[in-house]
Amino acid sequence: MIETERLCLRRFTLEDLEDFYEYAKDPLVGPPAGWKPHESKEESLEILKSFVSSEDIFAMTLKSSGKVIGSLGCHEDRKREYKGGVMIGYVLSSPYWGKGLMSEAVEGLLDYIFLTLGMDLVSAYYYPFNEKSGKVLKKAGLVYEGIIRKCSVLPTGEVVDDVCYSMTREEFFRKRNWL
Ligand SMILES: CC(C)(COP(=O)(O)OP(=O)(O)OC[C@H]1O[C@@H](n2cnc3c(N)ncnc32)[C@H](O)[C@@H]1OP(=O)(O)O)[C@@H](O)C(=O)NCCC(=O)NCCS
């Protein structure tokens, strides 16, 4: 479990289905992250089952209400051969955007990745039309690497670029003023 000022990041359980479906069906949430909005609660349940058995995906819950308002996780970065790093990804329920919540969650996740998991690198990618996600990464101190052109294929079939960001272990400690 990861705790920040307003959030608790914890493992998903099957009881999270209602909250998960609420944002997974929202057309504003999935598409900028590369997935189609869920069309039924059954579809969400299947995905939720895979989240429940994963140690790398966190439910983002509000401490004040216990509600699940998003998810974030760290995964193998298939773009890199080096296995000393992880790639992060995140989505947040749209009524909660613009309150600094994902920035807060990503800070907590970076602590977990570098301090608890002891990883060497964190990477993240977003599509050029999703500047909001870029802001989260910049704010967290990740460094712009460049763009892989014509990299991802969206569920619509559209081919898009990936904007690449990363943070090394050294940059993490320097940002925390520990180096
Ligand atoms: C991207 C996303 C996670 C941002 O979450 P968030 O909690 O709103 O982000 P924050 O409030 O921490 O804001 C981070 C920065 O983005 C800016 N921002 C937030 N909402 C914004 C909006 N609607 N329009 C423009 N800028 C916005 C904030 O101002 C902040 O920058 P600042 O501190 O310099 O002002 C959220 O919009 C989301 O889930 N989008 C859909 C899924 C997605 O895109 N996932 C990422 C895939 S790569």
Side-chain angles (χ1 to χ4, degrees):
M1 198 185 78
I2 303 168
E3 228 185 295
T4 67
E5 196 188 329
R6 290 172 290 174
L7 301 166
C8 176
L9 313 181
R10 57 148 173 88
R11 294 276 293 268
F12 271 99
T13 74
L14 291 179
E15 276 98 81
D16 297 325
L17 181 60
E18 289 298 327
D19 289 347
F20 176 46
Y21 180 57
E22 192 176 317
Y23 70 80
K25 69 179 181 201
D26 183 342
L28 293 173
V29 173
W35 46 271
K36 276 200 302 192
H38 293 187
E39 282 165 18
S40 67
K41 221 180 265 185
E42 289 67 37
E43 186 182 349
S44 290
L45 178 61
E46 287 313 305
I47 309 272
L48 182 61
K49 282 181 190 164
S50 68
F51 286 2
V52 170
S53 57
S54 168
E55 289 187 358
D56 306 326
I57 297 174
F58 294 94
M60 185 169 160
T61 68
L62 273 179
K63 275 187 188 170
S64 56
S65 62
K67 189 176 172 66
V68 179
I69 56 166
S71 72
L72 68 169
C74 41
H75 315 273
E76 179 189 347
D77 185 345
R78 298 211 178 99
K79 291 186 175 68
R80 290 171 205 263
E81 191 176 357
Y82 179 48
K83 297 301 168 218
V86 284
M87 176 188 82
I88 61 169
Y90 41 78
V91 298
L92 177 64
S93 178
S94 59
Y96 299 90
W97 290 2
K99 302 175 196 298
L101 285 166
M102 194 51 83
S103 298
E104 187 176 319
V106 167
E107 288 281 317
L109 186 64
L110 291 178
D111 282 354
Y112 170 76
I113 292 170
F114 286 112
L115 302 177
T116 306
L117 299 183
M119 299 307 287
D120 198 31
L121 183 85
V122 164
S123 53
Y125 306 94
Y126 68 89
Y127 307 133
F129 58 80
N130 195 6
E131 213 19 72
K132 259 186 291 181
S133 181
K135 277 194 172 178
V136 171
L137 299 175
K138 264 177 242 157
K139 210 169 162 185
L142 275 79
V143 175
Y144 174 70
E145 293 184 323
I147 291 177
I148 306 179
R149 294 183 293 168
K150 297 187 186 289
C151 184
S152 293
V153 183
L154 302 184
T156 55
E158 189 190 345
V159 178
V160 291
D161 299 345
D162 272 17
V163 186
C164 314
Y165 272 78
S166 67
M167 177 184 255
T168 63
R169 188 171 178 79
E170 195 185 39
E171 283 160 358
F172 170 79
F173 281 102
R174 221 183 292 134
K175 174 132 201 290
R176 295 281 190 282
N177 289 320
W178 293 338
L179 270 188

